[in-house]
Amino acid sequence: MAEPGETIKMMLPEEELDRRIRELGKEISEDYAGESVYLVGVLRGAAFFTCELAKRITVPVTIDFMSTSSYGSGTVSSGEVIIKQDVEIPVEGRNIIICEDIIDSGNTLHCLLKLFRERKAKSVKLCALLDKPDRREVDVKVDYTGFTVPDEFIVGYGLDYDQKYRNLPYIGVVEF
Ligand code: IMP
Ligand code: MG
């Protein structure tokens, strides 16, 4: 399955992801009892996670997706995030949960949190399947985290390396 010169080392098997996402779904369902939630998945990485999470939430759920990119190029992030594709379903007055595959520098979630607050959401929370705290540049509070991971290049379950490996049903690390 891996390309020549690349191997994928298993980090989190499918069963463990499934178990943890189930727990997150339960926690969210309890926190929002009597209310509804609006999941905003950040494309493309969080597509798988957002859908799996949605299936395990028992309060009413709305789902939409958006796509972002970092401003400029290179490895030095300016901290600016561009919206390439926005949500279509209105945000005002809703309980937004922004769903990310991984929080790395924190810039994306920091900017989206601000954006959805400006749009007068009733509440905005952040949910990330994975957290790489060693790489944080901005202090962001993630309300729901699946797993904390070390500073390695992670793929699978929606996460890519050069647009590859998103379809792996588990989380792995690319070794070159
Ligand atoms: P940040 O928190 O704004 O730096 O952005 C996080 C985004 O960078 C994630 O949504 C991913 O798309 C991408 N990313 C960060 N670390 C990894 C990784 O290890 N594998 C794949 N994508 C990553
Ligand atoms: Mg992403």
Side-chain angles (χ1 to χ4, degrees):
M1 167 108 216
E3 299 269 313
E6 296 166 10
T7 48
I8 311 296
K9 187 179 73 184
M10 163 85 77
M11 182 185 262
L12 297 164
E14 198 173 357
E15 298 69 33
E16 203 167 329
L17 291 162
D18 188 72
R19 183 192 56 75
R20 184 67 187 125
I21 294 171
R22 209 169 281 278
E23 284 176 359
L24 290 175
K26 185 164 179 281
E27 200 182 330
I28 289 170
S29 304
E30 287 166 3
D31 290 354
Y32 291 88
E35 308 228 18
S36 60
V37 293
Y38 177 168
L39 302 184
V40 176
V42 184
L43 294 172
R44 288 179 284 270
F48 291 54
F49 171 53
T50 306
C51 297
E52 291 302 313
L53 180 65
K55 291 196 289 190
R56 290 156 179 98
I57 293 175
T58 53
V59 298
V61 174
T62 298
I63 307 176
D64 205 346
F65 291 93
M66 66 193 301
S67 170
T68 62
S69 73
S70 305
Y71 197 56
S73 57
T75 49
V76 182
S77 169
S78 65
E80 283 291 310
V81 170
I82 306 173
I83 309 300
K84 290 198 295 185
Q85 182 191 318
D86 209 340
V87 292
E88 286 185 3
I89 303 168
V91 165
E92 190 174 340
R94 315 288 288 269
N95 293 313
I96 303 296
I97 302 179
I98 301 168
C99 298
E100 257 284 40
D101 49 356
I102 187 165
I103 175 166
D104 190 38
S105 69
N107 287 317
T108 308
L109 283 177
H110 174 78
C111 289
L112 293 181
L113 182 63
K114 191 164 155 275
L115 177 74
F116 282 91
R117 281 182 176 155
E118 284 165 5
R119 289 176 173 180
K120 299 188 173 67
K122 182 178 179 186
S123 65
V124 189
K125 284 194 182 182
L126 305 179
C127 177
L129 177 62
L130 306 173
D131 184 356
K132 228 191 236 183
D134 295 348
R135 301 247 312 164
R136 201 73 89 253
E137 292 169 14
V138 243
D139 187 29
V140 195
K141 176 178 163 269
V142 183
D143 303 280
Y144 304 100
T145 306
F147 301 89
T148 300
V149 293
D151 184 12
E152 292 186 273
F153 207 87
I154 315 277
V155 293
Y157 217 84
L159 291 102
D160 74 303
Y161 167 65
D162 204 12
Q163 299 304 329
K164 296 174 295 190
Y165 309 122
R166 290 193 197 275
N167 61 317
L168 295 178
Y170 54 87
I171 293 284
V173 175
V174 196
E175 294 182 332
F176 301 94

PDB file of all heavy atoms in Angstrom, residues 29-60:
ATOM      1  N   SER A  29     -22.716  14.247  23.386  1.00  0.00           N
ATOM      2  CA  SER A  29     -24.170  14.046  23.544  1.00  0.00           C
ATOM      3  C   SER A  29     -24.614  14.436  24.951  1.00  0.00           C
ATOM      4  O   SER A  29     -25.693  15.022  25.128  1.00  0.00           O
ATOM      5  CB  SER A  29     -24.537  12.588  23.272  1.00  0.00           C
ATOM      6  OG  SER A  29     -24.094  12.210  21.988  1.00  0.00           O
ATOM      7  N   GLU A  30     -23.791  14.140  25.950  1.00  0.00           N
ATOM      8  CA  GLU A  30     -24.130  14.503  27.329  1.00  0.00           C
ATOM      9  C   GLU A  30     -24.000  16.010  27.538  1.00  0.00           C
ATOM     10  O   GLU A  30     -24.867  16.634  28.145  1.00  0.00           O
ATOM     11  CB  GLU A  30     -23.214  13.753  28.312  1.00  0.00           C
ATOM     12  CG  GLU A  30     -23.584  12.277  28.409  1.00  0.00           C
ATOM     13  CD  GLU A  30     -22.527  11.411  29.100  1.00  0.00           C
ATOM     14  OE1 GLU A  30     -21.491  11.945  29.569  1.00  0.00           O
ATOM     15  OE2 GLU A  30     -22.755  10.182  29.147  1.00  0.00           O
ATOM     16  N   ASP A  31     -22.929  16.600  27.014  1.00  0.00           N
ATOM     17  CA  ASP A  31     -22.706  18.041  27.185  1.00  0.00           C
ATOM     18  C   ASP A  31     -23.805  18.881  26.524  1.00  0.00           C
ATOM     19  O   ASP A  31     -24.089  19.988  26.978  1.00  0.00           O
ATOM     20  CB  ASP A  31     -21.351  18.463  26.588  1.00  0.00           C
ATOM     21  CG  ASP A  31     -20.178  17.929  27.403  1.00  0.00           C
ATOM     22  OD1 ASP A  31     -20.415  17.346  28.480  1.00  0.00           O
ATOM     23  OD2 ASP A  31     -19.018  18.077  26.944  1.00  0.00           O
ATOM     24  N   TYR A  32     -24.381  18.381  25.447  1.00  0.00           N
ATOM     25  CA  TYR A  32     -25.387  19.142  24.703  1.00  0.00           C
ATOM     26  C   TYR A  32     -26.789  18.547  24.861  1.00  0.00           C
ATOM     27  O   TYR A  32     -27.644  18.766  24.000  1.00  0.00           O
ATOM     28  CB  TYR A  32     -25.011  19.215  23.222  1.00  0.00           C
ATOM     29  CG  TYR A  32     -23.796  20.071  22.936  1.00  0.00           C
ATOM     30  CD1 TYR A  32     -22.523  19.514  22.968  1.00  0.00           C
ATOM     31  CD2 TYR A  32     -23.912  21.432  22.648  1.00  0.00           C
ATOM     32  CE1 TYR A  32     -21.394  20.280  22.708  1.00  0.00           C
ATOM     33  CE2 TYR A  32     -22.790  22.211  22.382  1.00  0.00           C
ATOM     34  CZ  TYR A  32     -21.537  21.629  22.414  1.00  0.00           C
ATOM     35  OH  TYR A  32     -20.433  22.398  22.160  1.00  0.00           O
ATOM     36  N   ALA A  33     -27.015  17.836  25.947  1.00  0.00           N
ATOM     37  CA  ALA A  33     -28.337  17.229  26.173  1.00  0.00           C
ATOM     38  C   ALA A  33     -29.428  18.294  26.071  1.00  0.00           C
ATOM     39  O   ALA A  33     -29.292  19.382  26.635  1.00  0.00           O
ATOM     40  CB  ALA A  33     -28.357  16.563  27.546  1.00  0.00           C
ATOM     41  N   GLY A  34     -30.479  18.012  25.330  1.00  0.00           N
ATOM     42  CA  GLY A  34     -31.590  18.959  25.167  1.00  0.00           C
ATOM     43  C   GLY A  34     -31.330  20.032  24.125  1.00  0.00           C
ATOM     44  O   GLY A  34     -32.165  20.898  23.884  1.00  0.00           O
ATOM     45  N   GLU A  35     -30.138  19.981  23.502  1.00  0.00           N
ATOM     46  CA  GLU A  35     -29.793  20.971  22.472  1.00  0.00           C
ATOM     47  C   GLU A  35     -29.442  20.244  21.177  1.00  0.00           C
ATOM     48  O   GLU A  35     -29.521  19.023  21.108  1.00  0.00           O
ATOM     49  CB  GLU A  35     -28.573  21.782  22.915  1.00  0.00           C
ATOM     50  CG  GLU A  35     -28.732  22.372  24.286  1.00  0.00           C
ATOM     51  CD  GLU A  35     -28.363  23.830  24.335  1.00  0.00           C
ATOM     52  OE1 GLU A  35     -28.304  24.483  23.274  1.00  0.00           O
ATOM     53  OE2 GLU A  35     -28.116  24.302  25.442  1.00  0.00           O
ATOM     54  N   SER A  36     -29.005  20.997  20.186  1.00  0.00           N
ATOM     55  CA  SER A  36     -28.511  20.371  18.967  1.00  0.00           C
ATOM     56  C   SER A  36     -27.113  20.903  18.680  1.00  0.00           C
ATOM     57  O   SER A  36     -26.718  21.937  19.228  1.00  0.00           O
ATOM     58  CB  SER A  36     -29.449  20.672  17.798  1.00  0.00           C
ATOM     59  OG  SER A  36     -29.515  22.063  17.598  1.00  0.00           O
ATOM     60  N   VAL A  37     -26.361  20.189  17.861  1.00  0.00           N
ATOM     61  CA  VAL A  37     -25.008  20.624  17.516  1.00  0.00           C
ATOM     62  C   VAL A  37     -24.851  20.728  16.002  1.00  0.00           C
ATOM     63  O   VAL A  37     -25.528  20.039  15.242  1.00  0.00           O
ATOM     64  CB  VAL A  37     -23.908  19.677  18.075  1.00  0.00           C
ATOM     65  CG1 VAL A  37     -23.868  19.738  19.589  1.00  0.00           C
ATOM     66  CG2 VAL A  37     -24.053  18.255  17.581  1.00  0.00           C
ATOM     67  N   TYR A  38     -23.948  21.579  15.617  1.00  0.00           N
ATOM     68  CA  TYR A  38     -23.640  21.810  14.200  1.00  0.00           C
ATOM     69  C   TYR A  38     -22.149  21.524  14.046  1.00  0.00           C
ATOM     70  O   TYR A  38     -21.316  22.301  14.508  1.00  0.00           O
ATOM     71  CB  TYR A  38     -23.996  23.256  13.881  1.00  0.00           C
ATOM     72  CG  TYR A  38     -23.717  23.778  12.483  1.00  0.00           C
ATOM     73  CD1 TYR A  38     -24.264  25.000  12.095  1.00  0.00           C
ATOM     74  CD2 TYR A  38     -22.934  23.095  11.542  1.00  0.00           C
ATOM     75  CE1 TYR A  38     -24.025  25.529  10.827  1.00  0.00           C
ATOM     76  CE2 TYR A  38     -22.700  23.608  10.284  1.00  0.00           C
ATOM     77  CZ  TYR A  38     -23.246  24.827   9.931  1.00  0.00           C
ATOM     78  OH  TYR A  38     -23.004  25.354   8.682  1.00  0.00           O
ATOM     79  N   LEU A  39     -21.840  20.377  13.438  1.00  0.00           N
ATOM     80  CA  LEU A  39     -20.441  19.995  13.243  1.00  0.00           C
ATOM     81  C   LEU A  39     -19.915  20.641  11.976  1.00  0.00           C
ATOM     82  O   LEU A  39     -20.511  20.493  10.897  1.00  0.00           O
ATOM     83  CB  LEU A  39     -20.303  18.478  13.102  1.00  0.00           C
ATOM     84  CG  LEU A  39     -20.816  17.586  14.238  1.00  0.00           C
ATOM     85  CD1 LEU A  39     -20.496  16.118  13.927  1.00  0.00           C
ATOM     86  CD2 LEU A  39     -20.201  17.993  15.577  1.00  0.00           C
ATOM     87  N   VAL A  40     -18.804  21.338  12.089  1.00  0.00           N
ATOM     88  CA  VAL A  40     -18.129  21.918  10.920  1.00  0.00           C
ATOM     89  C   VAL A  40     -16.819  21.157  10.722  1.00  0.00           C
ATOM     90  O   VAL A  40     -15.889  21.283  11.520  1.00  0.00           O
ATOM     91  CB  VAL A  40     -17.843  23.422  11.124  1.00  0.00           C
ATOM     92  CG1 VAL A  40     -17.055  23.976   9.938  1.00  0.00           C
ATOM     93  CG2 VAL A  40     -19.135  24.197  11.308  1.00  0.00           C
ATOM     94  N   GLY A  41     -16.766  20.342   9.688  1.00  0.00           N
ATOM     95  CA  GLY A  41     -15.562  19.563   9.404  1.00  0.00           C
ATOM     96  C   GLY A  41     -14.628  20.351   8.497  1.00  0.00           C
ATOM     97  O   GLY A  41     -15.076  20.977   7.534  1.00  0.00           O
ATOM     98  N   VAL A  42     -13.348  20.341   8.832  1.00  0.00           N
ATOM     99  CA  VAL A  42     -12.360  21.068   8.023  1.00  0.00           C
ATOM    100  C   VAL A  42     -11.775  20.093   6.990  1.00  0.00           C
ATOM    101  O   VAL A  42     -11.111  19.114   7.349  1.00  0.00           O
ATOM    102  CB  VAL A  42     -11.252  21.689   8.902  1.00  0.00           C
ATOM    103  CG1 VAL A  42     -10.289  22.511   8.035  1.00  0.00           C
ATOM    104  CG2 VAL A  42     -11.849  22.561  10.000  1.00  0.00           C
ATOM    105  N   LEU A  43     -12.094  20.392   5.723  1.00  0.00           N
ATOM    106  CA  LEU A  43     -11.650  19.513   4.623  1.00  0.00           C
ATOM    107  C   LEU A  43     -10.158  19.663   4.374  1.00  0.00           C
ATOM    108  O   LEU A  43      -9.618  20.722   4.606  1.00  0.00           O
ATOM    109  CB  LEU A  43     -12.400  19.877   3.337  1.00  0.00           C
ATOM    110  CG  LEU A  43     -13.911  19.604   3.376  1.00  0.00           C
ATOM    111  CD1 LEU A  43     -14.571  20.198   2.127  1.00  0.00           C
ATOM    112  CD2 LEU A  43     -14.184  18.117   3.470  1.00  0.00           C
ATOM    113  N   ARG A  44      -9.498  18.615   3.818  1.00  0.00           N
ATOM    114  CA  ARG A  44     -10.118  17.339   3.580  1.00  0.00           C
ATOM    115  C   ARG A  44      -9.879  16.369   4.724  1.00  0.00           C
ATOM    116  O   ARG A  44     -10.536  15.361   4.865  1.00  0.00           O
ATOM    117  CB  ARG A  44      -9.566  16.745   2.266  1.00  0.00           C
ATOM    118  CG  ARG A  44     -10.090  17.493   1.029  1.00  0.00           C
ATOM    119  CD  ARG A  44      -9.511  16.908  -0.266  1.00  0.00           C
ATOM    120  NE  ARG A  44      -8.132  17.342  -0.414  1.00  0.00           N
ATOM    121  CZ  ARG A  44      -7.765  18.464  -1.049  1.00  0.00           C
ATOM    122  NH1 ARG A  44      -8.661  19.233  -1.607  1.00  0.00           N
ATOM    123  NH2 ARG A  44      -6.507  18.813  -1.137  1.00  0.00           N
ATOM    124  N   GLY A  45      -8.855  16.714   5.541  1.00  0.00           N
ATOM    125  CA  GLY A  45      -8.397  15.781   6.565  1.00  0.00           C
ATOM    126  C   GLY A  45      -9.451  15.301   7.553  1.00  0.00           C
ATOM    127  O   GLY A  45      -9.437  14.155   7.974  1.00  0.00           O
ATOM    128  N   ALA A  46     -10.369  16.202   7.927  1.00  0.00           N
ATOM    129  CA  ALA A  46     -11.311  15.846   8.994  1.00  0.00           C
ATOM    130  C   ALA A  46     -12.586  15.193   8.480  1.00  0.00           C
ATOM    131  O   ALA A  46     -13.503  14.917   9.258  1.00  0.00           O
ATOM    132  CB  ALA A  46     -11.648  17.081   9.820  1.00  0.00           C
ATOM    133  N   ALA A  47     -12.649  14.912   7.175  1.00  0.00           N
ATOM    134  CA  ALA A  47     -13.888  14.376   6.601  1.00  0.00           C
ATOM    135  C   ALA A  47     -14.285  13.044   7.246  1.00  0.00           C
ATOM    136  O   ALA A  47     -15.434  12.862   7.656  1.00  0.00           O
ATOM    137  CB  ALA A  47     -13.736  14.213   5.088  1.00  0.00           C
ATOM    138  N   PHE A  48     -13.331  12.135   7.351  1.00  0.00           N
ATOM    139  CA  PHE A  48     -13.637  10.809   7.911  1.00  0.00           C
ATOM    140  C   PHE A  48     -14.042  10.942   9.382  1.00  0.00           C
ATOM    141  O   PHE A  48     -15.043  10.391   9.821  1.00  0.00           O
ATOM    142  CB  PHE A  48     -12.410   9.881   7.837  1.00  0.00           C
ATOM    143  CG  PHE A  48     -12.006   9.444   6.458  1.00  0.00           C
ATOM    144  CD1 PHE A  48     -11.761  10.352   5.443  1.00  0.00           C
ATOM    145  CD2 PHE A  48     -11.834   8.089   6.186  1.00  0.00           C
ATOM    146  CE1 PHE A  48     -11.357   9.935   4.179  1.00  0.00           C
ATOM    147  CE2 PHE A  48     -11.430   7.660   4.924  1.00  0.00           C
ATOM    148  CZ  PHE A  48     -11.192   8.586   3.920  1.00  0.00           C
ATOM    149  N   PHE A  49     -13.237  11.664  10.138  1.00  0.00           N
ATOM    150  CA  PHE A  49     -13.479  11.833  11.574  1.00  0.00           C
ATOM    151  C   PHE A  49     -14.837  12.482  11.828  1.00  0.00           C
ATOM    152  O   PHE A  49     -15.603  12.031  12.680  1.00  0.00           O
ATOM    153  CB  PHE A  49     -12.338  12.654  12.193  1.00  0.00           C
ATOM    154  CG  PHE A  49     -12.569  13.069  13.618  1.00  0.00           C
ATOM    155  CD1 PHE A  49     -12.906  12.133  14.589  1.00  0.00           C
ATOM    156  CD2 PHE A  49     -12.436  14.404  14.000  1.00  0.00           C
ATOM    157  CE1 PHE A  49     -13.117  12.521  15.913  1.00  0.00           C
ATOM    158  CE2 PHE A  49     -12.641  14.791  15.313  1.00  0.00           C
ATOM    159  CZ  PHE A  49     -12.989  13.853  16.267  1.00  0.00           C
ATOM    160  N   THR A  50     -15.152  13.548  11.076  1.00  0.00           N
ATOM    161  CA  THR A  50     -16.410  14.268  11.283  1.00  0.00           C
ATOM    162  C   THR A  50     -17.602  13.332  11.088  1.00  0.00           C
ATOM    163  O   THR A  50     -18.543  13.336  11.894  1.00  0.00           O
ATOM    164  CB  THR A  50     -16.500  15.470  10.310  1.00  0.00           C
ATOM    165  OG1 THR A  50     -15.337  16.282  10.465  1.00  0.00           O
ATOM    166  CG2 THR A  50     -17.732  16.307  10.566  1.00  0.00           C
ATOM    167  N   CYS A  51     -17.557  12.522  10.047  1.00  0.00           N
ATOM    168  CA  CYS A  51     -18.676  11.606   9.766  1.00  0.00           C
ATOM    169  C   CYS A  51     -18.779  10.515  10.823  1.00  0.00           C
ATOM    170  O   CYS A  51     -19.869  10.182  11.278  1.00  0.00           O
ATOM    171  CB  CYS A  51     -18.532  10.993   8.377  1.00  0.00           C
ATOM    172  SG  CYS A  51     -18.608  12.220   7.070  1.00  0.00           S
ATOM    173  N   GLU A  52     -17.641   9.965  11.225  1.00  0.00           N
ATOM    174  CA  GLU A  52     -17.659   8.912  12.247  1.00  0.00           C
ATOM    175  C   GLU A  52     -18.174   9.462  13.577  1.00  0.00           C
ATOM    176  O   GLU A  52     -18.943   8.805  14.276  1.00  0.00           O
ATOM    177  CB  GLU A  52     -16.261   8.308  12.433  1.00  0.00           C
ATOM    178  CG  GLU A  52     -15.775   7.492  11.240  1.00  0.00           C
ATOM    179  CD  GLU A  52     -16.723   6.332  10.900  1.00  0.00           C
ATOM    180  OE1 GLU A  52     -17.144   5.601  11.805  1.00  0.00           O
ATOM    181  OE2 GLU A  52     -17.045   6.178   9.709  1.00  0.00           O
ATOM    182  N   LEU A  53     -17.742  10.675  13.913  1.00  0.00           N
ATOM    183  CA  LEU A  53     -18.186  11.303  15.160  1.00  0.00           C
ATOM    184  C   LEU A  53     -19.693  11.559  15.110  1.00  0.00           C
ATOM    185  O   LEU A  53     -20.416  11.257  16.061  1.00  0.00           O
ATOM    186  CB  LEU A  53     -17.414  12.617  15.372  1.00  0.00           C
ATOM    187  CG  LEU A  53     -17.741  13.409  16.630  1.00  0.00           C
ATOM    188  CD1 LEU A  53     -17.339  12.620  17.881  1.00  0.00           C
ATOM    189  CD2 LEU A  53     -17.027  14.762  16.626  1.00  0.00           C
ATOM    190  N   ALA A  54     -20.153  12.093  13.983  1.00  0.00           N
ATOM    191  CA  ALA A  54     -21.578  12.416  13.829  1.00  0.00           C
ATOM    192  C   ALA A  54     -22.452  11.186  14.078  1.00  0.00           C
ATOM    193  O   ALA A  54     -23.510  11.283  14.717  1.00  0.00           O
ATOM    194  CB  ALA A  54     -21.831  12.969  12.428  1.00  0.00           C
ATOM    195  N   LYS A  55     -21.991  10.016  13.633  1.00  0.00           N
ATOM    196  CA  LYS A  55     -22.779   8.785  13.781  1.00  0.00           C
ATOM    197  C   LYS A  55     -22.944   8.377  15.240  1.00  0.00           C
ATOM    198  O   LYS A  55     -23.807   7.589  15.567  1.00  0.00           O
ATOM    199  CB  LYS A  55     -22.108   7.636  13.014  1.00  0.00           C
ATOM    200  CG  LYS A  55     -22.166   7.817  11.507  1.00  0.00           C
ATOM    201  CD  LYS A  55     -21.855   6.531  10.768  1.00  0.00           C
ATOM    202  CE  LYS A  55     -20.421   6.137  10.874  1.00  0.00           C
ATOM    203  NZ  LYS A  55     -20.068   5.011   9.960  1.00  0.00           N
ATOM    204  N   ARG A  56     -22.068   8.889  16.104  1.00  0.00           N
ATOM    205  CA  ARG A  56     -22.076   8.488  17.514  1.00  0.00           C
ATOM    206  C   ARG A  56     -22.630   9.556  18.441  1.00  0.00           C
ATOM    207  O   ARG A  56     -22.539   9.431  19.646  1.00  0.00           O
ATOM    208  CB  ARG A  56     -20.665   8.082  17.927  1.00  0.00           C
ATOM    209  CG  ARG A  56     -20.290   6.772  17.255  1.00  0.00           C
ATOM    210  CD  ARG A  56     -18.819   6.590  17.127  1.00  0.00           C
ATOM    211  NE  ARG A  56     -18.502   5.326  16.508  1.00  0.00           N
ATOM    212  CZ  ARG A  56     -18.206   5.175  15.220  1.00  0.00           C
ATOM    213  NH1 ARG A  56     -18.223   6.217  14.410  1.00  0.00           N
ATOM    214  NH2 ARG A  56     -17.919   3.987  14.732  1.00  0.00           N
ATOM    215  N   ILE A  57     -23.187  10.620  17.860  1.00  0.00           N
ATOM    216  CA  ILE A  57     -23.811  11.682  18.665  1.00  0.00           C
ATOM    217  C   ILE A  57     -25.323  11.439  18.651  1.00  0.00           C
ATOM    218  O   ILE A  57     -25.902  11.192  17.594  1.00  0.00           O
ATOM    219  CB  ILE A  57     -23.448  13.074  18.093  1.00  0.00           C
ATOM    220  CG1 ILE A  57     -21.942  13.328  18.275  1.00  0.00           C
ATOM    221  CG2 ILE A  57     -24.253  14.170  18.778  1.00  0.00           C
ATOM    222  CD1 ILE A  57     -21.436  14.618  17.646  1.00  0.00           C
ATOM    223  N   THR A  58     -25.932  11.514  19.827  1.00  0.00           N
ATOM    224  CA  THR A  58     -27.354  11.169  19.912  1.00  0.00           C
ATOM    225  C   THR A  58     -28.279  12.385  19.980  1.00  0.00           C
ATOM    226  O   THR A  58     -29.487  12.234  19.907  1.00  0.00           O
ATOM    227  CB  THR A  58     -27.608  10.243  21.128  1.00  0.00           C
ATOM    228  OG1 THR A  58     -27.064  10.867  22.295  1.00  0.00           O
ATOM    229  CG2 THR A  58     -26.927   8.890  20.936  1.00  0.00           C
ATOM    230  N   VAL A  59     -27.737  13.602  20.124  1.00  0.00           N
ATOM    231  CA  VAL A  59     -28.582  14.808  20.014  1.00  0.00           C
ATOM    232  C   VAL A  59     -28.656  15.163  18.524  1.00  0.00           C
ATOM    233  O   VAL A  59     -27.834  14.679  17.743  1.00  0.00           O
ATOM    234  CB  VAL A  59     -28.010  15.992  20.856  1.00  0.00           C
ATOM    235  CG1 VAL A  59     -27.986  15.640  22.328  1.00  0.00           C
ATOM    236  CG2 VAL A  59     -26.616  16.428  20.369  1.00  0.00           C
ATOM    237  N   PRO A  60     -29.634  16.007  18.120  1.00  0.00           N
ATOM    238  CA  PRO A  60     -29.739  16.350  16.700  1.00  0.00           C
ATOM    239  C   PRO A  60     -28.449  16.997  16.157  1.00  0.00           C
ATOM    240  O   PRO A  60     -27.859  17.858  16.811  1.00  0.00           O
ATOM    241  CB  PRO A  60     -30.904  17.343  16.648  1.00  0.00           C
ATOM    242  CG  PRO A  60     -31.729  17.007  17.854  1.00  0.00           C
ATOM    243  CD  PRO A  60     -30.740  16.594  18.913  1.00  0.00           C
TER     244      PRO A  60
END
